[in-house]
Amino acid sequence: MSLPTRVAQIALPALIATPGVLFAQNVESSWDFYGHLNLGIISVDDGFDTETGLTDNDNSNSRAGVMFKQGLQNGAEFRFNFETGLGLTGSSSISLDDNSFDVDYSRTELRKVEIVYASPTLGTFWFGQGSTASDGAAESDLSGTSLIAYSSPQDLSGSQEFRLASGAGSGVRGGDVFNSFDGARRFRIRYDTPKYNGFVASISAGTEVLASGNDDEYYDIGVTYGRDYGDFNVAGGLAYSIRDSAEELLVGSAAVLHTPTGVSFALSGGSEQQGDASYFYAKAGLQRDWFAIGRTALSLDYYGGDDFEITGSSSSSIGLAVVQKLDAYNVELYATYRTYEFESAGSDYEDLDVTFVGARWKF
């Protein structure tokens, strides 16, 4: 029996029983139904052909969820959260060979099925399908454009194939050579400490239960930071992840926003501890209230990776993004242009150029 399973057998009865004892002391509770649709038109040029199609935006895929909250004694809270993707064809899964838009729902669309006990003095205990302690460690970003441009450029073109200069397919796809090493959502047990001077430490142990034929185990430890210093908002994260005892990853990120000017900067980086692959990501952003309809955000970012897929290779991406909020309708309009380059000894690859225009509506 795996360690995550043994821990779950011990922790689950305690997490369920604790709020049951305290419910009678505080009847305050709430249900919140939420979600968003995030669709757009993507156009991909691989140096020889161009294809355009409708797709879901995998930077923040369309989803729906429900959150139940129950107040407890001494400021504690019990929560149940269910959240799922909608199964719409996503930008990271389409290619020039297959860019059809359809609905294909499977259990891998489940994002969260978890119970949570949060205490201001004891910290937060999580059980079920949800974020590991390393999820989000690579994604500190205060630019306002992360729904279309952030440290994981493969979410926009993970299945697009690089063409060789001859026009032949290379077998190398965006998801092979771009990666932020960020954590994910697994069936796990997790503990977060109370916040202290902006810092929260987390630890989790979990396993893959949604993908057939995959029972890999995941062990993560991380620290997040968030605090305001006068006119500056600061956020950051650092995490170490062990995946099935065969892959060890170190990843971190930091971001700062100067609220009076709307200028922001973000950095992210990570590396394999039992391999050579590594990356660096940098982003500059500007947010202003130029229009009465809502805030406008602009950004320019760069990603550079080494030794992905092929030893000695390099991958890079530059992206421009704009997001316009429509406050009255809970809508964000956005557009991005991103170019992808991949280089390795002995082969000449064409660049990928991707344009994406879309909208996210929150409900």
Side-chain angles (χ1 to χ4, degrees), residues 90-106:
S91 54
S92 66
S93 63
I94 64 172
S95 67
L96 268 71
D97 297 325
D98 183 7
N99 66 347
S100 59
F101 182 77
D102 53 27
V103 180
D104 184 17
Y105 187 87
S106 68

Side-chain angles (χ1 to χ4, degrees), residues 38 72 85 91 152 174 205 214 221 240 256 264 272 294 297 299 320 352 363:
N38 192 1
L72 306 174
S91 54
S152 294
N214 183 351
I221 184 169
Y240 190 85
V256 60
S264 66
E272 294 179 333
S299 69
L320 291 167
L352 285 171
F363 56 87

Side-chain angles (χ1 to χ4, degrees), residues 29 53 71 74-75 91 93 110 154-155 158 171 184 187 201 211 215 252 272 274 276 282 286 324 329 338 349:
S29 63
N74 301 320
S91 54
S93 63
L110 290 174
Q154 73 276 7
D155 284 352
F187 189 86
D215 57 357
E272 294 179 333
Q274 294 180 326
D276 298 322
L286 176 65
Q324 176 62 57
Y329 305 100
R338 182 170 294 280
Y349 301 86

Side-chain angles (χ1 to χ4, degrees), residues 316-333:
S316 63
S317 178
I318 297 176
L320 291 167
V322 56
V323 176
Q324 176 62 57
K325 290 188 175 182
L326 304 180
D327 293 338
Y329 305 100
N330 292 324
V331 169
E332 296 156 286
L333 306 177

Side-chain angles (χ1 to χ4, degrees), residues 24-318:
Q25 305 300 319
N26 191 330
V27 296
E28 294 182 3
S29 63
S30 65
W31 289 89
D32 180 26
F33 296 89
Y34 66 92
H36 65 247
L37 291 175
N38 192 1
L39 302 176
I41 303 295
I42 190 169
S43 179
V44 180
D45 181 352
D46 68 358
F48 289 88
D49 296 311
T50 301
E51 291 288 345
T52 302
L54 174 68
T55 183
D56 201 17
N57 178 1
D58 276 338
N59 290 274
S60 177
N61 68 314
S62 297
R63 65 194 64 165
V66 57
M67 172 78 78
F68 170 75
K69 296 181 180 180
Q70 172 67 57
L72 306 174
Q73 290 183 4
N74 301 320
E77 183 178 70
F78 171 81
R79 302 195 296 265
F80 169 75
N81 192 192
F82 173 86
E83 183 179 295
T84 179
L86 303 184
L88 306 177
T89 300
S91 54
S92 66
S93 63
I94 64 172
S95 67
L96 268 71
D97 297 325
D98 183 7
N99 66 347
S100 59
F101 182 77
D102 53 27
V103 180
D104 184 17
Y105 187 87
S106 68
R107 64 183 184 181
T108 57
E109 294 290 337
L110 290 174
R111 295 171 54 85
K112 298 179 181 180
V113 186
E114 61 184 359
I115 57 176
V116 184
Y117 174 74
S119 165
T121 55
L122 298 178
T124 305
F125 300 85
W126 317 69
F127 178 82
Q129 176 73 16
S131 293
T132 63
S134 62
D135 192 14
E139 300 175 358
S140 300
D141 192 326
L142 301 172
S143 67
T145 65
S146 58
L147 81 157
I148 190 59
Y150 73 125
S151 58
S152 294
Q154 73 276 7
D155 284 352
L156 197 63
S157 64
S159 295
Q160 302 292 343
E161 184 179 14
F162 287 92
R163 291 274 194 102
L164 296 172
S166 64
S170 67
V172 178
R173 299 184 182 274
D176 298 328
V177 295
F178 292 90
N179 196 326
S180 70
F181 297 143
D182 195 55
R185 290 171 301 278
R186 308 292 178 192
F187 189 86
R188 87 299 187 224
I189 185 165
R190 169 176 166 173
Y191 170 70
D192 293 1
T193 66
K195 181 177 286 190
Y196 179 74
N197 288 334
F199 288 95
V200 175
S202 306
I203 187 170
S204 65
T207 186
E208 175 60 62
V209 297
L210 300 180
S212 299
N214 183 351
D215 57 357
D216 289 352
E217 297 178 6
Y218 295 80
Y219 304 91
D220 300 84
I221 184 169
V223 178
T224 58
Y225 181 76
R227 196 168 182 180
D228 295 339
Y229 293 89
D231 291 336
F232 292 89
N233 299 339
V234 178
L238 181 67
Y240 190 85
S241 177
I242 300 175
R243 304 182 180 183
D244 205 35
S245 302
E247 184 179 30
E248 298 182 25
L249 304 170
L250 179 65
V251 64
S253 63
V256 60
L257 167 67
H258 184 238
T259 53
T261 62
V263 174
S264 66
F265 297 96
L267 299 174
S268 177
S271 64
E272 294 179 333
Q273 303 301 287
Q274 294 180 326
D276 298 322
S278 63
Y279 82 94
F280 171 78
Y281 175 82
K283 185 179 191 180
L286 176 65
Q287 301 177 56
R288 291 290 177 85
D289 293 316
W290 284 311
F291 308 107
I293 56 176
R295 199 162 180 80
T296 306
L298 308 169
S299 69
L300 170 67
D301 65 14
Y302 170 81
Y303 177 105
D306 293 310
D307 296 311
F308 284 99
E309 188 71 7
I310 300 172
T311 301
S313 67
S314 65
S315 48
S316 63
S317 178
I318 297 176

